[in-house]
Amino acid sequence: MKLVISEKPSVAQSIAAVIGAKQRGDGYLEGCGYFVSWCLGHIAELASADAYDVKYAKWRCEDLPILPENERFVISKAKQKQLNVRCTLMRRDDVSEGINACDAGREGELRFRTVYEMAGCSKPMKRLWVSSMEDEAIRQGFADLKPGRDYDGLHQS
């Protein structure tokens, strides 16, 4: 099985219709060798500065710049269930690879990669790059999937 993750439910439904994933699950669609799910925008957000050190609870110029060694993320209660669904799907033994179908650009790359990393996923990833939700554009995008590593620079930006 391949796991496709889009940014929004409406995009996931368009993709699922084209690739034949018609069976509904809790937070995903399934069929024809695919799971199709969505992120609901930014599932995770960067933690506030005081999460790194309580002294940053009040902003002071002399503390700037605040450059944490490792970024921390927080998940709102409203999005925790959706994150859990994504992580569970990514960790399934029968899922062989992830396909980033989030919006073409930095934000879409960030949304997918954040969930991928939070799930502790190391499975191969590919990138679906489309700027139209027309059926033919989606088919062409799947025919032209690129390795996820080709977009590492975009994610890092």
Side-chain angles (χ1 to χ4, degrees):
M1 298 285 282
K2 297 177 181 180
L3 172 60
V4 180
I5 297 182
S6 72
E7 202 159 310
K8 309 172 216 32
S10 61
V11 173
Q13 290 170 350
S14 295
I15 291 170
V18 170
I19 62 176
K22 298 178 182 182
Q23 184 179 342
R24 290 194 162 277
D26 186 15
Y28 64 93
L29 298 156
E30 177 181 355
C32 293
Y34 290 93
F35 292 111
V36 182
S37 193
W38 50 90
C39 282
L40 294 174
H42 286 287
I43 285 183
E45 298 177 7
L46 288 172
S48 61
D50 62 341
Y52 299 95
D53 191 320
V54 292
K55 76 178 185 180
Y56 298 138
K58 291 194 177 228
W59 286 88
R60 299 175 337 139
C61 286
E62 47 278 1
D63 289 332
L64 298 177
I66 299 169
L67 301 170
E69 194 169 310
N70 294 307
E71 296 172 333
R72 295 183 192 170
F73 293 95
V74 293
I75 315 304
S76 72
K77 286 188 180 202
K79 294 186 177 182
Q80 185 64 55
K81 180 181 176 190
Q82 197 65 10
L83 174 64
N84 292 344
V85 169
R86 266 8 94 251
C87 290
T88 298
L89 290 169
M90 284 185 176
R91 292 174 184 150
R92 284 180 58 136
D93 290 337
D94 60 343
V95 170
S96 60
E97 71 181 20
I99 298 173
N100 178 356
C102 290
D103 291 355
R106 287 186 304 198
E107 287 291 312
E109 198 65 29
L110 177 64
R111 286 181 172 120
F112 177 85
R113 299 275 187 120
T114 300
V115 173
Y116 182 86
E117 290 168 8
M118 292 185 89
C121 193
S122 60
K123 295 176 182 179
M125 122 182 57
K126 293 190 177 167
R127 187 59 156 103
L128 174 71
W129 193 274
V130 295
S131 54
S132 167
M133 286 294 97
E134 297 295 322
D135 291 359
E136 186 52 36
I138 294 169
R139 278 189 209 90
Q140 186 62 46
F142 271 88
D144 292 334
L145 289 173
K146 303 287 188 233
R149 69 179 171 276
D150 290 359
Y151 299 87
D152 287 351
L154 183 63
H155 173 245
Q156 292 164 356
S157 71

